[in-house]
Amino acid sequence: MRLLIVGNGGRASALALKLSEDSRITKMFFAPGNATTEKLGENIHETDIIALRDFAIKNKVELTIVGPEAPLVEGIVDEFKKVDLKVFGPTKKAASLEGSKSFSKKFMQNYGIKTANATVFDSYVEAKEYLQKQKFPLVIKASGLAGGKGVVIADDLEEAEGTIHDFMIKRIFGDAGIQIVIEEYLQGFEASIIAFSNGEKLYPCVPVKDYKKAGNGDTGPNTGGMGSAAPSPEFTDEHFQDFLQNIMNPTVDGLKKEGLRFKGFIFFGLMVTKNGTYLLEYNMRLGDPETQVLLPLLENNLVDAIEDCLNGRELELRFKDKKAVCLVVCSGGYPKNHETGYEITGAEKVKNSQLLYAGADYRGDRVVSTGGRVLNLVALGDSFEEARKKVYEDAVPVDFDYGFYREDIAKF
Ligand code: AMP
Ligand code: GLY
């Protein structure tokens, strides 16, 4: 079997590793891939969705899995389906649940999905006027895709006004900020739940804790994710029942009624408050770094699970009775400004965890950093203590200039 995996982060490496256990797979292409995927398959330097479609036809790709949001929102699944290529991911229409925060907020409101109260604005003047009467903190979101940077928690009126000016007038995220969502600030802890969709039903995985802030103790700016732990010990069975009843089941209902059925992954970004569990956002894909801890825990064969979904069959997900931890090692300065091009050494000294490259590529025999999140260390254990000891010990010999990581991942 020949596969194409679209993506280049640690998530693509985790997919590569899980899929490499499947002896039926004879070839894996990664677009554009990284230093890990290059060793497990073939990297192709292509991101254009039409070029990828043509590549898949020419190279007899039998299944495509799409990692990142941008090609999904652009309609890669629709393009592949037009020519009968098998692909796992949401249609362009369903991907709008991630690509447009105003669309997803309206969807949540229409189907009684528990979410923060919010108002959508197309007019800067009206948004500014609205802000004058609000209490702070308040959350301001660019409606479109902004690479995970389009959400600002404004602590006072001045910051809020500056933010809407940046989004709507200065257009720091281009068209993504033409429309904004202003919503109430929710206090609590976050959890990520990723589910497989077979077009009819959703099959949730175990909850994951993603560490979003750059600094120890959840300080500093938001990032793409500094580490993850699963199953999240904070998210109890009670929270899970609340999630099923007030978020997942009404979502299934809404997907059907709005003609948004799809076969792919859906990610629920949750905030657990003292008033229950709220949905902050949908991502219509696997999370990064959530995937890095979910896939090693998943007992099912991934291709079988995906094919069951594509064929509309029932799914029974099974997870190992273990704890999984992922530590993300970043370039100095991430997420604000960072430099790349530094050589990564010491990978051969990693003993008890799995090293997955993310923003790192081969230059000849050397591996050099190419992004903000450079590599991941992933380990399983009978306890979080055991798993975190493995990743932190293995992080010591792995070295590149100005690299850093959080010290408190999976410290419960
Ligand atoms: P989103 O892309 O909507 O998930 O927002 C990114 C991050 O901003 C979330 O993971 C939260 O950390 C934070 N956030 C978003 N919405 C809210 C909210 N209503 N209250 C508090 N924090 C939020
Ligand atoms: N870890 C959050 C995301 O993948 O968007």
Side-chain angles (χ1 to χ4, degrees), residues 30-95:
F30 296 90
N34 58 37
T36 292
T37 66
E38 191 170 327
K39 290 289 171 200
L40 297 170
E42 184 179 332
N43 288 351
I44 56 163
H45 298 284
E46 191 55 75
T47 48
D48 177 75
I49 64 174
I50 301 297
L52 286 171
R53 181 200 67 189
D54 294 343
F55 176 89
I57 298 171
K58 194 161 162 234
N59 291 277
K60 302 190 168 45
V61 167
E62 292 159 87
L63 173 65
T64 299
I65 304 170
V66 188
E69 60 276 23
L72 292 167
V73 169
E74 237 184 284
I76 189 169
V77 169
D78 309 60
E79 288 303 331
F80 274 51
K81 280 166 86 171
K82 268 188 218 161
V83 292
D84 287 330
L85 284 168
K86 219 195 276 179
V87 56
F88 195 59
T91 56
K92 183 174 182 164
K93 200 171 159 196

Side-chain angles (χ1 to χ4, degrees), residues 67-342:
E69 60 276 23
L72 292 167
V73 169
E74 237 184 284
I76 189 169
V77 169
D78 309 60
E79 288 303 331
F80 274 51
K81 280 166 86 171
K82 268 188 218 161
V83 292
D84 287 330
L85 284 168
K86 219 195 276 179
V87 56
F88 195 59
T91 56
K92 183 174 182 164
K93 200 171 159 196
S96 305
L97 285 173
E98 174 165 6
S100 165
K101 287 194 190 289
S102 64
F103 177 72
S104 64
K105 188 55 89 172
K106 280 179 204 146
F107 176 90
M108 294 175 209
Q109 288 167 343
N110 288 345
Y111 290 94
I113 294 158
K114 196 160 165 179
T115 186
N117 289 322
T119 315
V120 176
F121 292 92
D122 297 290
S123 149
Y124 170 71
V125 175
E126 284 172 22
K128 195 169 169 184
E129 207 176 280
Y130 174 85
L131 287 179
Q132 312 307 314
K133 291 171 258 147
Q134 302 309 308
K135 292 202 183 80
F136 293 88
L138 202 60
V139 185
I140 301 174
K141 303 184 176 187
S143 182
L145 292 183
K149 297 190 184 124
V151 175
V152 171
I153 296 166
D155 286 322
D156 52 40
L157 180 62
E158 191 185 345
E159 191 180 0
E161 286 182 338
T163 303
I164 65 164
H165 192 266
D166 283 348
F167 287 7
M168 302 182 92
I169 305 294
K170 269 172 78 185
R171 300 268 173 94
I172 59 169
F173 299 123
D175 288 352
I178 292 178
Q179 201 177 40
I180 61 164
V181 178
I182 302 184
E183 71 180 38
E184 74 178 305
Y185 173 75
L186 298 175
Q187 186 130 35
F189 67 86
E190 289 181 62
S192 310
I193 295 189
I194 294 170
F196 287 73
S197 169
N198 70 356
E200 275 298 316
K201 289 192 193 167
L202 299 184
Y203 299 89
C205 298
V206 294
V208 184
K209 181 172 173 72
D210 172 20
Y211 291 77
K212 288 204 159 69
K213 302 272 187 189
N216 295 328
D218 286 331
T219 52
N222 258 341
T223 69
M226 299 295 291
S228 52
S232 170
E234 298 168 344
F235 201 81
T236 62
D237 283 347
E238 206 179 317
H239 297 133
F240 198 75
Q241 292 312 317
D242 183 5
F243 160 72
L244 290 181
Q245 190 181 335
N246 295 307
I247 295 170
M248 197 182 93
N249 295 342
T251 296
V252 173
D253 189 37
L255 291 171
K256 285 186 187 153
K257 294 203 173 119
E258 296 294 320
L260 297 172
R261 290 167 198 257
F262 70 96
K263 293 165 180 177
F265 295 106
I266 180 167
F267 169 132
F268 298 87
L270 306 171
M271 179 72 86
V272 182
T273 74
K274 59 180 191 321
N275 299 318
T277 300
Y278 287 71
L279 180 64
L280 293 181
E281 64 165 348
Y282 295 111
N283 293 326
M284 301 305 286
R285 53 175 173 80
L286 287 167
D288 186 339
E290 284 86 347
T291 306
Q292 288 90 313
V293 285
L294 280 178
L295 292 183
L297 290 173
L298 181 68
E299 284 181 340
N300 303 59
N301 176 292
L302 185 59
V303 171
D304 286 346
I306 288 176
E307 297 224 310
D308 283 345
C309 287
L310 289 172
N311 291 314
R313 288 194 288 261
E314 296 272 334
L315 203 60
E316 198 196 318
L317 294 176
R318 298 178 309 279
F319 291 89
K320 291 189 182 115
D321 186 19
K322 297 267 180 197
K323 314 294 179 200
V325 174
C326 170
L327 176 68
V328 176
V329 185
C330 297
S331 300
Y334 175 79
K336 296 232 150 86
N337 308 299
H338 63 264
E339 288 177 17
T340 57
Y342 295 110

Side-chain angles (χ1 to χ4, degrees), residues 322-388:
K322 297 267 180 197
K323 314 294 179 200
V325 174
C326 170
L327 176 68
V328 176
V329 185
C330 297
S331 300
Y334 175 79
K336 296 232 150 86
N337 308 299
H338 63 264
E339 288 177 17
T340 57
Y342 295 110
E343 182 174 359
I344 301 154
T345 56
E348 71 288 353
K349 298 196 182 109
V350 169
K351 294 245 167 357
N352 298 310
S353 34
Q354 185 69 50
L355 186 150
L356 301 173
Y357 287 113
D361 272 320
Y362 276 97
R363 298 274 183 274
D365 290 342
R366 301 179 315 137
V367 182
V368 301
S369 60
T370 57
R373 290 191 290 171
V374 175
L375 60 95
N376 307 153
L377 291 157
V378 180
L380 297 187
D382 287 324
S383 64
F384 282 112
E385 200 45 48
E386 185 192 336
R388 74 186 299 278

